[in-house]
Amino acid sequence: MLIDFKQNMGGNILEKLVITGKTPLKGEVVISGAKNAAVAIIPATLLINGICTIDNLPNISDVKLYCDILTELGAKITWNTEHEITVDTRNINSNNIPLETTRKFRASYYLLGALLGRCHSAKVGIPGGCNLGARPIDQHIKTFEALGANVEVSNGNIIAKAKKLKGTSIYMDLVSVGATINAMLAAVLAEGTTIIDNPAKEPHIVDVANFLNTMGADIRGAGTDIIKINGVKELKGNATYSVVPDQIEAGTFMLAAIASKGDITVKNCITKHLESIIAKIVEIGGNVDANGDHLRVWYTKKTHKATIKTLPYPGFPTDLQPQMGVVLSISEGTSIINESIWESRFQYTNELNKMGAKITAQGKTAFFEGVNELTAAPVYATDLRAGAALIIAGIAAKGKTEIYNLNHIDRGYENIEQKFRKLGAKIERVNEE
Ligand code: UD1
């Protein structure tokens, strides 16, 4: 039964993390570049007819996968260091990415906007990614059509074609990170001005706009309620861009500090991006001292219940909801989390309940009846952030926790066990016979 389940989850069935818990985390952790910015900026290089360098890339499997895809399309990618690449996009010779490739991760949808912008046509397999429930792309398609493309979905592919792309006004019916970035990618080289109304405002939206502007685009207002893109004839490149620090990785370590009753300093982060998480940690009784590009997070007394609703930025991020769920599962009283972005983001609660948590999830709401402590169990990372949450749970729990399905975690966290080990966690990656 155990083997069947692991095989069904599609992970590497031999690898697991083994964590001996009850270690308060202490020391410093340095945050890597943001995954969600990196996986948008790498395809955005397709809009450049030249050479550019991207620095502060996280060393994660999603980034490597994206670099392989660009190489297949004809780009020349040189790894200068493990965090820096130089991309030469002068010889792109394909605009077709098969379903076998795109189903591996959600961010493959950016190939549509980037290739449409560059080649005026793209054939891209329907994107895959973490199973968080339905993940429609109607707003992406609506945007491409508004810019003048004809979009068809057939045989598992999205095929977009345009004689020319023309700037227009686009009102997003809902706040979508992916659709906002795809709108920017498709509009940068379009003729005339594009206005995106009701865009997402996440830090990686601003980062992608900054990257494109560094390469010669004219995008204004990213991070506000209206984005205005004045189309330019070409993006020349010839510049180096450094990816923004990962707000979600920073939040993950902050919550791990509280769950483990620790005291850590999170370095290389933009504290402004962490306001909603800082506010919640302080509200439940944790301590945070933000100072320039680093912050100290520490535990002094038992944390207590909270009510949380996940929202687009600057609200509480859905990508930190599972990690926060671990903290609330061992906080005094009954907490409530309302997940407003994804319909199936409480799968991790079944795993936490195996560790002694008392969580009842009903649709988009979960109730966390705080317990005194978690206890070790074999558990399965059901998605990327669920995996991070289980690591935090393992560090806080009594006994030896085993976590399977590490491929989810490796997609988005650089050297996660090394970083936790440096903070004193007893965590090893081992191969199971
Ligand atoms: C991105 C992040 C993901 C994060 C999410 C929300 C990347 C690579 N991934 O995902 O980690 O959890 O933002 O912060 O950056 N929707 C539609 N139609 C669309 C597009 C979206 O209905 O065309 C809905 C989705 O089902 C979801 C909500 O809008 O309910 C937000 O989705 P979106 O912001 O687009 O998420 P992603 O870009 O996929």
Side-chain angles (χ1 to χ4, degrees):
M1 181 59 196
L2 193 68
I3 296 294
D4 282 345
F5 182 79
K6 281 189 257 173
Q7 282 167 343
N8 286 341
M9 298 302 292
N12 179 348
I13 65 164
L14 293 175
E15 268 192 335
K16 62 180 176 183
L17 286 176
V18 179
I19 305 173
T20 307
K22 286 269 171 214
T23 319
L25 299 179
K26 294 246 156 43
E28 292 178 359
V29 61
V30 180
I31 297 307
S32 300
K35 164 192 170 280
N36 287 345
V39 296
I41 287 172
I42 296 170
T45 63
L46 289 167
L47 293 162
I48 300 167
N49 194 12
I51 298 173
C52 68
T53 296
I54 310 168
D55 189 11
N56 200 35
L57 283 169
N59 189 359
I60 54 175
S61 64
D62 268 10
V63 162
K64 289 174 197 148
L65 182 58
Y66 236 133
C67 288
D68 290 347
I69 294 175
L70 257 67
T71 305
E72 268 178 46
L73 294 174
K76 184 166 175 254
I77 298 199
T78 312
W79 285 87
N80 306 323
T81 69
E82 66 171 344
H83 297 118
E84 184 184 292
I85 55 172
T86 295
V87 189
D88 180 348
T89 47
R90 285 173 297 182
N91 293 311
I92 296 298
N93 52 34
S94 169
N95 59 359
N96 181 356
I97 300 105
L99 185 60
E100 305 89 80
T101 306
T102 59
R103 65 155 52 115
K104 291 182 191 151
F105 67 146
R106 177 76 179 161
S108 54
Y109 50 35
Y110 293 135
L111 291 161
L112 270 171
L115 286 169
L116 190 60
R118 181 182 179 118
C119 317
H120 289 182
S121 83
K123 183 176 172 193
V124 175
I126 289 176
C130 285
N131 176 15
L132 308 174
R135 299 188 79 169
I137 54 163
D138 54 298
Q139 297 302 305
H140 304 238
I141 293 176
K142 167 180 151 166
T143 299
F144 300 144
E145 287 176 340
L147 288 164
N150 183 17
V151 186
E152 248 180 66
V153 180
S154 90
N155 299 327
N157 293 303
I158 305 159
I159 303 155
K161 283 188 190 148
K163 281 206 180 79
K164 74 170 176 183
L165 295 166
K166 206 164 174 321
T168 185
S169 286
I170 300 158
Y171 179 81
M172 296 283 175
D173 300 322
L174 46 83
V175 177
S176 162
V177 169
T180 302
I181 292 179
N182 250 337
M184 293 196 296
L185 297 178
V188 152
L189 298 174
E191 190 184 297
T193 298
T194 300
I195 306 282
I196 309 172
D197 200 344
N198 196 28
K201 300 177 200 156
E202 268 68 4
H204 37 293
I205 304 285
V206 179
D207 210 37
V208 175
N210 287 344
F211 166 76
L212 290 166
N213 285 343
T214 304
M215 301 300 153
D218 183 357
I219 304 175
R220 297 161 197 212
T224 73
D225 289 329
I226 300 267
I227 301 178
K228 183 175 173 188
I229 304 156
N230 293 315
V232 294
K233 287 227 151 41
E234 63 174 344
L235 300 187
K236 284 210 165 72
N238 287 330
T240 297
Y241 189 78
S242 193
V243 174
V244 71
D246 198 315
Q247 155 215 23
I248 303 300
E249 190 197 11
T252 299
F253 281 102
M254 290 164 73
L255 290 164
I258 298 299
S260 73
K261 306 186 176 173
D263 182 346
I264 71 167
T265 299
V266 182
K267 298 185 103 173
N268 185 37
C269 55
I270 299 179
T271 51
K272 168 89 188 138
H273 295 166
L274 295 161
E275 280 174 349
S276 64
I277 181 73
I278 293 173
K280 274 295 162 192
I281 289 179
V282 171
E283 183 187 314
I284 62 174
N287 308 284
V288 182
D289 183 14
N291 199 342
D293 71 348
H294 59 273
L295 41 80
R296 178 180 166 214
V297 187
W298 74 104
Y299 175 99
T300 40
K301 59 178 190 295
K302 191 163 173 71
T303 47
H304 55 79
K305 67 178 180 171
T307 299
I308 292 177
K309 181 172 184 169
T310 62
L311 287 169
Y313 186 82
F316 191 92
T318 173
D319 287 355
L320 284 173
Q321 186 261 100
Q323 301 88 317
M324 188 73 194
V326 175
V327 174
L328 296 181
S329 73
I330 46 174
S331 294
E332 196 79 52
T334 299
S335 298
I336 303 174
I337 297 185
N338 177 245
E339 169 57 55
S340 82
I341 312 285
W342 300 117
E343 61 186 24
S344 314
R345 199 154 211 178
F346 286 125
Q347 296 174 65
Y348 73 94
T349 60
N350 293 328
E351 303 305 299
L352 279 190
N353 284 345
K354 292 179 194 166
M355 299 177 73
K358 286 194 181 157
I359 310 167
T360 316
Q362 293 165 357
K364 285 186 158 192
T365 304
F367 301 86
F368 296 72
E369 189 188 324
V371 295
N372 264 338
E373 67 177 358
L374 297 173
T375 48
V379 286
Y380 303 90
T382 47
D383 62 69
L384 168 59
R385 307 302 172 185
L390 292 176
I391 294 179
I392 298 175
I395 292 169
K398 185 173 170 193
K400 218 172 239 197
T401 296
E402 294 174 332
I403 305 176
Y404 293 90
N405 293 328
L406 306 186
N407 59 324
H408 287 302
I409 301 171
D410 295 338
R411 280 190 39 229
Y413 286 93
E414 173 174 340
N415 294 337
I416 191 159
E417 68 261 30
Q418 287 91 327
K419 288 191 183 187
F420 273 118
R421 223 170 10 244
K422 196 165 164 266
L423 292 170
K426 296 184 187 114
I427 174 168
E428 295 294 334
R429 186 178 290 240
V430 296
N431 280 337
E432 195 175 65
E433 288 296 313

